[in-house]
Amino acid sequence: IDAIAKYLGQSQPDFISFQEVCVDEKTDMIAGILRALRKHGYQVAASDAQFSHMAWDRYREYIMVASKHKAEAKDKGLLPVSPLQRAYVALKVQGVWNVNTHLEYGDQYARFRAEQVSFLIQRFKGTPHLIMGDFNVDPRSPEQSAFVRTGYFGVFPGPSRPAHKPEVAIDGFWISPELRSSYQVQGTRLLFDRKIGERYASDHLAVELMGFRSGRANSF
């Protein structure tokens, strides 16, 4: 956590999303992440977390968001029911909803992922937004096609899992049709692709999107 927070303190992203943030009787990763971010000079102006499920029946698993900007609004909740309950959490920052999610895992559960994608599209329809996180499936998959059909633009920096030998691109960003005409993608990056000490920072590589909003209409 400290190494991740050190990078984030140096790069100062506008918005950060975390998946699989765990809490049990001994460890509170939510508090630990916020503490580490502040230690490394990232001034958290807004944050929130949403419980999703019990992981391995041993600890509570959350998804979490943080921003150096004040949030104009917050939204969070559970996604449509699936074998392992999933969730979303969002902050509205500078007029844009930044939505963090973690969809259902497993090829046999494609139907549940499709329902979760449809839910998120309807939830934020008509507002400028980014939906980001761990989609647990390639952006070209049938269950993600609803994003394409409804005018989203996908940005997936590259294979991100497993961290030691990335083979699948399942972590990324979907830019909504209300935002894509005024959003310029400047670049993307895969992060933490080397071991920190004797281990990787996560079982996935982190993904970064660099861009800005402008008054010009752009075609992607």
Side-chain angles (χ1 to χ4, degrees):
I1 288 176
D2 197 65
I4 294 169
K6 182 178 179 180
Y7 173 81
L8 295 172
Q10 293 169 345
S11 59
Q12 291 290 309
D14 293 292
F15 185 84
I16 312 167
S17 64
F18 301 90
Q19 300 86 41
E20 298 187 39
V21 177
C22 303
V23 177
D24 62 17
E25 292 76 12
K26 297 180 180 180
T27 304
D28 183 346
M29 288 181 66
I30 296 173
I33 288 169
L34 292 173
R35 186 165 53 245
L37 287 172
R38 293 181 176 118
K39 169 187 171 183
H40 289 286
Y42 188 89
Q43 298 302 313
V44 179
S47 66
D48 206 351
Q50 170 64 46
F51 171 77
S52 60
H53 60 274
M54 291 297 295
W56 310 106
D57 296 322
R58 291 192 295 113
Y59 49 83
R60 299 184 299 280
E61 188 169 298
Y62 292 77
I63 55 176
M64 177 182 173
V65 288
S67 177
K68 64 180 182 180
H69 304 290
K70 291 183 178 180
E72 299 151 27
K74 297 182 179 182
D75 186 24
K76 62 182 180 180
L78 299 176
L79 297 178
V81 174
S82 61
L84 191 59
Q85 182 63 64
R86 302 293 178 166
Y88 74 97
V89 60
L91 299 179
K92 189 177 184 181
V93 174
Q94 297 180 344
V96 176
W97 279 107
N98 296 269
V99 186
N100 176 25
T101 194
H102 186 181
L103 302 188
E104 187 57 89
Y105 173 78
D107 292 341
Q108 70 274 35
Y109 297 140
R111 174 174 66 86
F112 296 102
R113 278 192 299 276
E115 292 173 356
Q116 292 164 353
V117 167
S118 295
F119 172 88
L120 289 169
I121 290 172
Q122 289 301 313
R123 183 72 179 179
F124 295 96
K125 186 177 181 180
T127 66
H129 61 275
L130 287 162
I131 300 177
M132 66 193 78
D134 178 0
F135 296 94
N136 265 322
V137 71
D138 186 280
R140 297 166 295 182
S141 66
E143 56 263 45
Q144 298 238 56
S145 63
F147 282 127
V148 178
R149 290 196 308 270
T150 52
Y152 285 74
F153 176 68
V155 182
F156 285 73
S160 56
R161 181 186 178 275
H164 69 281
K165 188 180 179 182
E167 296 177 348
V168 290
I170 61 177
D171 302 282
F173 308 82
W174 287 101
I175 302 171
S176 77
E178 297 85 5
L179 180 62
R180 62 183 290 182
S181 64
S182 62
Y183 191 89
Q184 300 236 13
V185 175
Q186 290 184 296
T188 62
R189 188 180 301 163
L190 290 164
L191 307 175
F192 308 117
D193 58 351
R194 298 288 185 273
K195 286 185 177 180
I196 299 172
E198 297 182 355
R199 64 178 66 183
Y200 288 91
S202 174
D203 59 336
H204 294 220
L205 302 182
V207 293
E208 185 174 68
L209 170 64
M210 292 157 280
F212 64 92
R213 297 180 76 185
S214 72
R216 298 189 303 273
N218 301 287
S219 177
F220 292 93

